[in-house]
Amino acid sequence: MNDHYLTLELHKILEMLVGECSNEASRRIAADIEPCLDVDIVRSEVSKTFDAFSACTKVGSPSFFNFADVASIANRAKGGSQLSLRELLDVAKLLTQTESLLAWRRQLEGDLKLDYLFECLFDNKHLLDKITNAVVSEDEISDNASPELASIRRKIVNAGAKIRESLDKIIKSSESKDYLQESLVTIRDGRYVLPVKSDHKNAVAGLVHDTSASGQTYFIEPMAVVDANNEITILKGREQEEIERIIKELSADCAAFSEQLCSDFSACAQLNVYFAKANLGAKMAGTMPEISDDGEIILKKARHPLIDRKRVVPVDFELGGEYDSLIITGPNTGGKTVILKTVGLLTLMTMCGLMIPVSDGSKITVFNKILVDIGDQQSIEQSLSTFSSHMNKVVEILNTVDYRSLVLIDELGSGTDPVEGAALAVAIIERIKALGAKLVTTTHYQELKMYALETDGVENASCEFDVKTLMPTYRLIIGSPGKSNAFAISARLGLDKDIISAAEAMLTDESRRFEKILDNLEATRQELEKNEKLAEQYRIETERLRNEIAEERRKLTETKDKEVELAQREARSIIERINRQSAKLMDELEELRKSKDKDDFSKRVSDQKMQYKRQINDLYDEAAKLGEQTDGYVLPRPLKKGDDVTVTDGNKSGILISPPDQSGYAMVQVGIMKTKVHVSKLRLIEKEVTFNNKKLQQPKGSVSKAVESRATRRAEMELDIRGYTVDEGLYEVDAFIDRALLSGNHVVTIIHGKGTGALKTAVRNHLRKHPAVKSARKGVYGEGEDGITVVEL
């Protein structure tokens, strides 16, 4: 890793990544990661990391084990070597890891950018079960490894039991108490023996296998169990041979699947690295930025990943768009250097395929070179001053920089005479700009602030300083040069006020004017920022209110639709009841017609009329309940016949035919239809009288009889001329038809009675010739029969 990357502390990020890995192979891969210079590869690598992160948020992170280098184990087996039990257990652990990862992948639907690695995993349950059933630990083979091994071990146990039984008889005999050191059976060199006192070693016929350290005890194998011990020794030899055969067979199985095991090992190690990247990104609250090679960097709410998230202040940063060089100013300890390192480190992390701690909308460019001069490289041994040290770094940068480079320089031109240092800094910036590189530098020089203000492609930025608390806020303000605030900071640190006043007096007029301009600029910026925050609050509140209104409108629409649907159902129900009532009435009228010659005919007709009116009124009452509204309207005066009114249901205009009855219902003529409406649904239309081109409100209650008569006649659909002479009757008929046409009535009734028949005959003859009459007929039963004429206009 080169010095520039070390300065930006990329190695510390990779150490964190190594800590997220679970095995040595993955740790080596993570530690060897270097920034990639190919934009397509960087996009692919970051996409894989983000894909792993997204998958973990859905089903959780997969488990990774600390598996060994099974690739080398498989290659040894392939070469004919016999594996140890430890190595076989390592193979089993890798197969378990493979099985676990494949099971995790099956939980997810759709494609993953890491599927090419999952496709390199082979689920070998046969080999896994064979090893786990055979190998108990790195020192023991299970009885289940083979039937032969289980049989041999049973025989060994049985033989040992017989030997113990024989020896127990010897121990329990009365003679043994004299020559046995202890009443127990022990084993020496794999053979069962008795501990005999040295003084009585000849009391037991047998073979001496060992003596105690003190020489007081001889471990003797009685002759009675020698053959049985020999049998156990033979069985143990057979056991070892069977174990060797089993291990050899398992090693051969591993050799047969060596290529699959190598593929599993490589894929598991690489998957571990990608999921380690995802876990590291999650801990940093990182995300995937847009990746390009156009030289533009946009960082939204960027945080330095090595600083505690609770303490670091996120910054917004841009470079490479409207300007290629950024000059950051501000007080010491204000965060200028941290910003340089944040920009460089986040760029390197992206080029390493890592997620970075920024918000959505961020963008990173893949650079060929990231050149850094940050920190004091003063060297006593090399007799280098701070200025010389920095200049050595700058010379190195200038010798290697090109148009695909990002240059980060801290305190450019510092450490020497300010005038010369500022001039040198401007010349260096000009050279870097001319080569097409992107530059971020920090400074305290006012000359560089002025240079940025006057030069295209160069922008000022400042680390904000709170003059009230005399503390930095660590916010980066792009577009505004900052002040060093040396006097304010010195005063806070306790420097004598007289010294500070004397220093301020030594400033040139030009410096004072420049500082005043910066003060005014900062005050204006803060005011603008305050207004922007206020405007944003208003915008959010407006959006909230708009959403609330839209939601209320939606609810009202839903309610209206439900009410209309309910009213329609009620109306259909009423119509059905009306139809039933009408049918019933027609049946009753037919019954009346048949019994019209009976004595009580008139009374029955009268009763039926009363019942009919009651039923109609009941239906009106029920219909009036639909969609009742109360808007607080109060009639300015009682309604009376001939008033112009508006019916709130449907907002239709009409004329009052009859004033409200005791129940509050009035008959209203609306067009050609008469309807009974409750007074609460009627709105009075006041008449206006024009006199000398002035509109006068007609006094309440002063409608003239002529007006009332015309209004009444205009609303009538029936004309009663009984008792009139023929001439008078025909005159009234003509006037009535005219009014009916003007009112839009198409069907009217003329009541002329039967009498002598002269008036009836004259009216009907007149109607046949009348140009406005379409047809005329006499009344039917129930309408008045021959005493009326129904006219269609």
Side-chain angles (χ1 to χ4, degrees), residues 74 99 111 251 462 693 766:
E99 191 177 73
D111 296 332
S251 299
S462 62
N693 295 327
H766 182 69

Side-chain angles (χ1 to χ4, degrees), residues 41 54 68 124 138 181 211 297 332 363 388 436 462 493 513 520 525-526 542 643 694 718 742 788:
I41 295 176
S54 300
N124 196 334
E138 57 185 279
Q181 193 75 276
T211 60
I297 299 176
N332 290 323
K363 180 180 180 180
S388 300
S462 62
L493 295 175
R513 285 196 301 272
N520 294 335
R525 185 195 64 77
Q526 292 182 358
T542 302
D643 280 341
K694 293 182 179 181
E718 294 180 350
L742 291 173
I788 69 165

Side-chain angles (χ1 to χ4, degrees), residues 509-524:
D509 292 341
E510 183 178 351
S511 296
R512 290 194 186 93
R513 285 196 301 272
F514 188 74
E515 289 294 320
K516 187 174 182 180
I517 291 172
L518 291 183
D519 288 339
N520 294 335
L521 183 62
E522 177 63 15
T524 302

